[in-house]
Amino acid sequence: MSNPKAFVSYSWDDAPHKERVATLATELRGDGIETMLDQWHAIPGDQLPAFMEKEIRENDYVLITCTPNYKLKTDERKGGVGYEGDIMTAEVHTQGNHRKFIPILAKGSWAESAPSWLKGKYYVDLRTAERRSQNYSDLTATLLDTRAAAPPVGPATKVPFPRPLLRLSPDE
């Protein structure tokens, strides 16, 4: 079995945010997920639109790092994040592969950080160290396909249908 591949989509909010994204990607790589990140895989001279298209289309998963700035850029279709949003929504629409796109709440509330097309999705909350310790395993179990399966369904049993007591008249 080969390692799953994931591309991290995020906005360049500020240097600390870029560092947190790189830390997450490093941790995922250490846990067996081949994580693609522009900070490591795009170099001067690369065509960034081509890089984004390739990574979104060729990876098993796209981890969408949601922040208020990410939402703004995606919803207004600005910059690289806006372009990635176009590619992702088109792929969901044409391929129907919703589970490929996993939202990660990195900053702010879900309402202020989630692009409109992600609003109804199950997301992973990694905003704080406490939430990260609680929810990171949910992300890795999904990416590694190790989530707990539902227990098997047992055989059907015949339960007699209770018959109501028939009364012919009120005084019987």
Side-chain angles (χ1 to χ4, degrees):
M1 180 175 142
S2 64
N3 296 49
K5 292 176 63 178
F7 171 63
V8 181
S9 173
Y10 69 103
S11 56
W12 294 359
D13 293 5
D14 53 36
H17 178 63
K18 285 177 74 172
E19 288 173 26
R20 284 189 298 274
V21 169
T23 298
L24 173 63
T26 299
E27 191 172 352
L28 289 167
R29 289 180 73 84
D31 288 332
I33 295 119
E34 186 177 340
T35 309
M36 308 300 285
L37 186 64
D38 62 351
Q39 296 177 44
W40 303 328
H41 297 100
I43 61 171
D46 282 352
Q47 286 290 333
L48 292 178
F51 170 79
M52 291 182 275
E53 288 176 27
K54 176 181 179 287
E55 297 307 322
I56 290 168
R57 290 199 174 107
E58 293 182 6
N59 279 277
D60 302 314
Y61 297 96
V62 177
L63 308 179
I64 304 164
T65 312
C66 299
T67 66
N69 192 44
Y70 188 95
K71 173 187 172 39
L72 178 69
K73 288 183 173 184
T74 300
D75 286 349
E76 293 183 3
R77 299 298 198 238
K78 290 185 177 179
V81 167
Y83 185 61
E84 287 177 0
D86 285 342
I87 298 165
M88 290 185 278
T89 54
E91 186 163 326
V92 166
H93 180 70
T94 61
Q95 305 297 318
N97 55 352
H98 290 272
R99 288 187 170 179
K100 175 178 180 172
F101 301 96
I102 301 174
I104 296 172
L105 182 57
K107 199 184 294 181
S109 69
W110 183 240
E112 65 190 8
S113 300
S116 58
W117 72 278
L118 292 176
K119 285 289 187 186
K121 282 185 144 308
Y122 179 163
Y123 63 93
V124 180
D125 186 347
L126 301 180
R127 287 178 291 177
T128 64
E130 181 182 352
R131 289 184 175 156
R132 186 181 176 100
S133 70
Q134 294 169 351
N135 300 326
Y136 178 79
S137 61
D138 193 19
L139 176 61
T140 56
T142 300
L143 299 173
L144 295 167
D145 195 23
T146 59
R147 295 183 68 84
V153 176
T157 58
K158 291 185 179 180
V159 178
F161 184 78
R163 291 185 156 188
L165 191 58
L166 293 177
R167 297 195 184 259
L168 300 175
S169 67
D171 50 323
E172 287 183 10

